[in-house]
C-alpha cells in the first residue's frame, strides 16, 4: 500500500490558501463553508456512524442496489483492472465490489488523509493480492489524478450521492473531468433521488444527534485550520429541504449574538444567523442520465430500489 499526498489535501497544518478560503467564506454574507471541511479525522468517523443510523437510508439503499445488480453493473461497465474510489471514506463500499468487478488495483482518493491511511491499511491486510494506492487530494477544484495512477482505462467509483454536494452546474464540470479521468473506462456513481420531504429531513437531522455532532465538529476543524475561536456551544444544527433548489441544506445557527475572532479579523453573528455548511442536491433519474450524457458519457444505465429512492448509474466513457 502506498500513500501520496497531492496538494491541497487537508493536513492538520493547513496551507495559507485553505485558511484564506475559510476566512473569506466566514466573512461573506451569508457565511458559507464548503462541505469538504466537515471531514477531519473525527468528521470521517462521525460520517461512518451516520451511515449506521436507521434514518440515513442512503448507504443501506445503495448497498442493496449494488448487492442485487453487481453482475449487471460489471457487464455494463466493461472490465478495467483499476478501480478509482473518489471520496473513499472507510473504503467499505468499494471493497464489496472487488470480486464482481475483478479489481486488481484499487486507488482510494480522499481529502481526509489520516482516515484514508487507516482505512487503506486495514483493507490491504484483508486483500493482500490487490495493489493499493491512497491519494490525499481535494478534487472539488479540479479532478486531476497523479501520474502514479497510470494511463490504463479505469472505473471511477463515486458512491454515496456525494455528487449531490455540487450544484448542477458544478456537477457537470466535475463529471466532464471524471469523463477525461476514466481514460476510456467507465463511471459507477450513486445518486440520491427526490422523495418525500419527511424522509429527507429525518436523514439529515436524526434524533440521536449524530448528524448534528458531524456538522458542529466542523467548527472545531475550523478552529484548527483557520485559528478561529468558535465555541461550539453557541451553535446548533439545522437541516431542511429547499424544494425550489431540490436540495437538503445543512446550516449552523447561532444560539445567541456571538463574535468569532481570528488573528487579524473577526465576524459578528446575530442570534439565529446561520453558516451554510452543506447542500445535498436530490435528482430525478432522467435528469441525471441527461447530465451524464452532457458530460460525454455514453448510454448510461441505472438501477433503483423498489421505492425509487436511490439510483446507481453505470456509464462507459
Ligand atoms: C459522504 S462521504 C462518502 C464516503 C463513502 N464514499 C461512502 O459513500 O460512504 C464523502 C467522502 O468524500 C470525501 N471528500 C469530501 N469532499 C472531498 C473533496 N473535495 N476531495 C476529496 N475527498 C472529499 C470525504 O472525506 C468523505 O470520505
Amino acid at each position: 500500500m502506498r500513500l501520496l499526498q497531492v496538494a491541497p489535501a487537508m493536513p492538520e497544518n493547513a496551507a495559507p490558501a485553505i485558511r484564506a478560503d475559510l476566512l473569506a467564506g466566514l466573512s461573506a454574507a451569508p457565511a458559507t463553508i464548503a462541505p469538504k471541511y466537515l471531514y477531519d479525522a473525527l468528521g470521517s468517523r462521525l460520517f461512518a456512524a451516520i451511515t449506521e443510523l436507521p434514518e440515513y437510508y442512503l448507504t443501506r439503499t445503495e448497498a442493496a442496489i449494488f448487492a442485487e445488480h453487481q453482475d449487471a453493473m460489471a457487464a455494463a461497465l466493461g472490465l478495467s483492472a483499476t478501480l478509482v474510489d473518489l471520496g473513499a471514506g472507510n473504503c467499505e463500499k468499494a471493497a464489496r465490489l472487488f470480486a464482481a468487478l475483478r479489481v486488481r488495483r484499487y486507488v482510494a482518493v480522499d481529502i481526509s488523509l489520516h482516515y484514508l491511511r487507516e482505512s487503506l491499511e486495514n483493507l490491504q491486510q484483508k486483500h493482500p493480492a490487490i495493489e493499493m494506492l491512497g491519494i490525499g487530494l481535494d478534487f472539488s477544484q479540479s479532478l486531476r489524478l497523479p501520474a502514479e495512477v497510470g494511463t490504463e482505462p479505469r472505473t471511477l467509483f463515486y458512491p454515496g450521492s456525494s455528487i449531490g454536494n455540487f450544484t448542477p452546474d458544478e456537477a457537470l464540470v466535475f463529471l466532464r473531468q471524471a469523463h477525461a479521468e476514466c481514460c476510456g473506462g467507465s463511471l459507477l456513481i450513486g445518486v440520491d433521488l427526490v422523495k418525500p420531504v419527511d424522509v429527507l429531513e429525518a436523514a439529515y437531522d436524526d434524533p440521536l444527534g449524530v448528524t448534528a455532532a458531524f456538522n458542529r465538529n466542523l467548527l472545531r476543524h475550523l478552529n484548527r485550520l483557520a485559528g478561529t475561536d468558535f465555541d461550539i456551544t453557541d451553535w446548533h444544527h439545522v437541516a431542511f429541504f429547499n424544494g425550489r433548489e431540490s436540495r437538503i441544506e445543512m446550516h449552523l445557527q447561532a444560539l445567541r449574538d456571538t463574535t468569532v475572532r481570528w488573528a487579524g479579523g473577526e465576524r459578528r453573528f446575530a442570534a439565529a444567523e446561520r453558516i451554510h455548511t452543506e447542500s445535498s442536491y436530490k435528482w430525478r433519474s432522467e435528469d441525471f442520465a441527461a447530465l451524464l450524457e452532457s458530460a460525454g458519457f455514453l448510454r448510461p444505465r441505472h438501477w433503483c430500489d423498489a421505492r425509487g429512492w436511490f439510483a446507481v448509474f453505470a456509464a462507459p466513457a
Side-chain angles (χ1 to χ4, degrees):
M1 189 280 258
R2 279 193 306 150
L3 195 70
L4 293 176
Q5 183 177 342
V6 181
M10 204 97 73
E12 294 302 306
N13 53 338
I18 293 176
R19 185 169 183 270
D21 177 37
L22 287 168
L23 294 179
L26 210 52
S27 305
T32 304
I33 299 294
K36 63 189 177 191
Y37 296 110
L38 290 161
Y39 297 95
D40 63 350
L42 179 57
S44 296
R45 287 195 171 80
L46 287 167
F47 177 75
I50 287 171
T51 67
E52 305 281 333
L53 295 169
E55 295 81 11
Y56 198 78
Y57 61 85
L58 291 89
T59 307
R60 216 167 295 112
T61 310
E62 186 184 42
I65 298 171
F66 284 136
E68 189 175 347
H69 300 290
Q70 52 185 316
D71 293 338
M73 287 175 192
L77 291 167
L79 282 186
S80 319
T82 302
L83 184 70
V84 179
D85 191 354
L86 299 174
N90 61 16
C91 306
E92 280 179 10
K93 284 185 187 167
R96 280 191 223 116
L97 292 173
F98 283 169
L101 301 186
R102 298 196 208 158
V103 173
R104 291 202 302 277
R105 202 153 167 263
Y106 175 56
V107 180
V109 181
D110 207 290
I111 197 167
S112 185
L113 193 64
H114 299 296
Y115 189 71
L116 178 66
R117 174 183 293 121
E118 205 178 284
S119 305
L120 212 50
E121 279 170 0
N122 288 337
L123 197 66
Q124 183 73 83
Q125 284 182 6
K126 290 184 196 148
H127 300 272
I130 295 181
E131 184 191 336
M132 295 193 184
L133 173 65
I135 301 177
L137 169 72
D138 172 4
F139 51 60
S140 62
Q141 304 302 323
S142 162
L143 174 59
R144 177 67 71 88
L145 296 172
E148 285 80 352
V149 180
T151 53
E152 298 288 305
R154 71 275 294 237
T155 300
L156 260 59
F157 182 50
Y158 196 34
S161 201
S162 292
I163 190 72
N165 289 157
F166 293 116
T167 65
D169 286 348
E170 290 167 347
L172 179 59
V173 171
F174 181 82
L175 289 171
R176 285 194 171 131
Q177 294 171 356
H179 180 264
E181 287 295 334
C182 285
C183 296
S186 52
L187 173 71
L188 183 63
I189 183 166
V191 183
D192 198 19
L193 302 178
V194 175
K195 63 182 60 61
V197 172
D198 57 330
V199 178
L200 284 169
E201 291 188 340
Y204 290 84
D205 194 5
D206 63 278
L208 209 51
V210 184
T211 315
F214 172 66
N215 197 11
R216 294 168 79 220
N217 176 60
L218 172 84
L219 300 179
R220 288 197 171 150
H221 196 199
L222 289 197
N223 284 347
R224 286 201 308 279
L225 292 174
T228 46
D229 67 349
F230 277 102
D231 178 347
I232 61 164
T233 62
D234 286 340
W235 298 85
H236 82 120
H237 167 70
V238 175
F240 57 86
F241 186 62
N242 175 338
R244 195 166 42 83
E245 300 286 347
S246 192
R247 68 187 189 202
I248 283 280
E249 294 183 14
M250 292 203 326
H251 298 256
L252 289 161
Q253 181 165 314
L255 287 166
R256 53 193 75 86
D257 291 353
T258 180
T259 301
V260 179
R261 296 184 176 81
W262 58 86
E266 64 175 34
R267 167 74 201 260
R268 289 180 193 184
F269 290 91
E273 207 176 334
R274 291 174 180 162
I275 305 172
H276 189 167
T277 55
E278 188 181 84
S279 290
S280 183
Y281 284 80
K282 306 303 168 188
W283 285 86
R284 294 181 199 285
S285 48
E286 58 276 23
D287 294 340
F288 198 79
L291 186 76
L292 285 171
E293 286 180 331
S294 301
F297 289 97
L298 307 170
R299 302 178 306 281
R301 281 195 62 188
H302 74 277
W303 296 265
C304 279
D305 57 299
R307 295 178 293 197
W309 281 7
F310 201 95
V312 176
F313 286 79

